[in-house]
Amino acid sequence: INRGGMGVVYEANKLGSEVTVALKMLRHRFIYDTPIQTRFDQEAKLLEGLSHPNIVSLLDHFLAFRTRFLVLDLCDGADLFRVLRVRGPLDEATVRAVLGQVAQGVLYLHQSGVIHRDIKPGNVLVDRSGRVRLADFGLSKLLESEVPEGKAVGTPSYMPPEQFRSASVGPESDWYAIGCLMYEMLTGRILFPAESWNRLFDRKRQSKPSDQWPQLDASRELREMIVGAIQPKMKDRRLDLEKISRWAEDVDWLFAH
């Protein structure tokens, strides 16, 4: 049902049960790649310690067929990338309702000492009941064990400048990604389209968000939130996740015909 850089996700049933789950398998070409295996195992370890309605739940993990598997609860809807591709830009009421749920999940992560580091439309799941859940914790970091890894990880279009440099990340790094996500939901366009690594890094660190940029048709409140979230320097960023979390509503109408 999905493919990512490290794994393939299948819809599956446990033998003797009618419960349907998502089964995430580490690709076989990584079975001798220790850093990738460590990252996959880290996702299982992180998810074991997390429990929140707006975060995908880990049901089990195991070794089989010479690789690793995670058993996750299944989202019967779609990720936000697919929703935007089908529906185009979302109205502001829907954006606020989705953002509220995302903010609740991210607040819980940060309070648990976890930075997601890869918030993007493809990692935001929306099920048919309208519940939003954050997925894919393979790049997440525990704050207390923050150690620069020597190379940048993440999705460049949504990464803040410090993540390009493999510098220390913090809650502000997730704020930046949420700002990019907000813009994309409102416009249907990626704020920083993919280009060469160095050119994209230069664009991000040299950008000067203001009332004039980025331009979009939205309330002043949302525009100011985006401008505050995508400031190139961590110390200049601001985003009130507590306030945004109060906007949370189910968005089951996204799947209405």
Side-chain angles (χ1 to χ4, degrees):
I1 57 177
N2 204 358
R3 293 178 183 271
M6 290 195 303
V8 181
V9 183
Y10 299 93
E11 183 176 326
N13 287 91
K14 187 174 181 178
L15 290 174
S17 168
E18 295 183 1
V19 176
T20 305
V21 297
L23 188 65
K24 183 175 181 178
M25 182 191 79
L26 180 67
R27 293 176 182 270
H28 277 93
R29 63 190 172 96
F30 293 125
I31 61 175
Y32 298 114
D33 188 323
T34 301
I36 293 295
Q37 289 185 42
T38 299
R39 194 173 295 165
F40 202 83
D41 291 342
Q42 174 183 286
E43 181 171 7
K45 180 181 177 182
L46 276 171
L47 286 171
E48 276 185 322
L50 300 174
S51 178
H52 189 275
N54 299 116
I55 292 174
V56 69
S57 297
L58 178 73
L59 306 176
D60 196 6
H61 60 98
F62 58 88
L63 299 171
F65 307 109
R66 301 182 66 190
T67 191
R68 289 160 161 77
F69 290 85
L70 303 181
V71 185
L72 306 160
D73 54 357
L74 180 70
C75 174
D76 62 355
D79 60 51
L80 200 53
F81 172 80
R82 296 178 187 179
V83 170
L84 292 172
R85 190 167 59 179
V86 171
R87 298 183 66 99
L90 303 178
D91 63 86
E92 187 163 323
T94 301
V95 170
R96 285 172 177 262
V98 171
L99 278 174
Q101 295 193 62
V102 170
Q104 288 186 353
V106 174
L107 272 173
Y108 171 78
L109 287 178
H110 291 175
Q111 290 163 1
S112 302
V114 176
I115 307 302
H116 190 284
R117 294 205 304 178
D118 200 21
I119 297 172
K120 60 182 180 181
N123 288 340
V124 178
L125 308 181
V126 187
D127 67 26
R128 292 188 177 275
S129 72
R131 197 204 324 175
V132 173
R133 283 175 284 183
L134 290 170
D136 202 341
F137 288 76
L139 302 182
S140 300
K141 257 197 180 307
L142 291 168
L143 281 173
E144 63 266 24
S145 62
E146 179 66 60
V147 178
E149 297 176 340
K151 69 175 184 177
V153 293
T155 304
S157 290
Y158 305 90
M159 283 163 48
E162 67 271 11
Q163 214 166 319
F164 279 78
R165 299 193 304 267
S166 301
S168 293
V169 297
E172 300 89 348
S173 304
D174 282 346
W175 296 356
Y176 187 98
I178 292 172
C180 294
L181 179 70
M182 292 167 68
Y183 177 87
E184 193 165 339
M185 283 195 288
L186 288 163
T187 66
R189 301 188 302 272
I190 297 175
L191 179 57
F192 293 101
E195 52 184 317
S196 76
W197 187 271
N198 288 333
R199 287 184 63 185
L200 191 55
F201 174 51
D202 287 340
R203 276 192 63 205
K204 284 174 175 269
R205 65 178 179 167
Q206 294 169 8
S207 65
K208 299 188 183 301
S210 68
D211 288 343
Q212 286 71 47
W213 183 85
Q215 292 184 337
L216 69 161
D217 183 18
S219 67
R220 183 172 185 83
E221 182 179 36
L222 283 193
R223 293 202 311 272
E224 289 179 348
M225 283 185 171
I226 292 171
V227 167
I230 62 172
Q231 294 294 322
K233 294 181 179 179
M234 290 178 72
K235 65 181 180 64
D236 295 332
R237 275 177 225 149
R238 58 191 185 277
L239 190 65
D240 189 343
L241 290 181
E242 291 277 4
K243 178 179 179 179
I244 296 173
S245 70
R246 294 194 286 271
W247 300 345
E249 289 183 45
D250 289 341
V251 287
D252 51 303
W253 61 84
L254 280 177
F255 298 99
H257 294 295

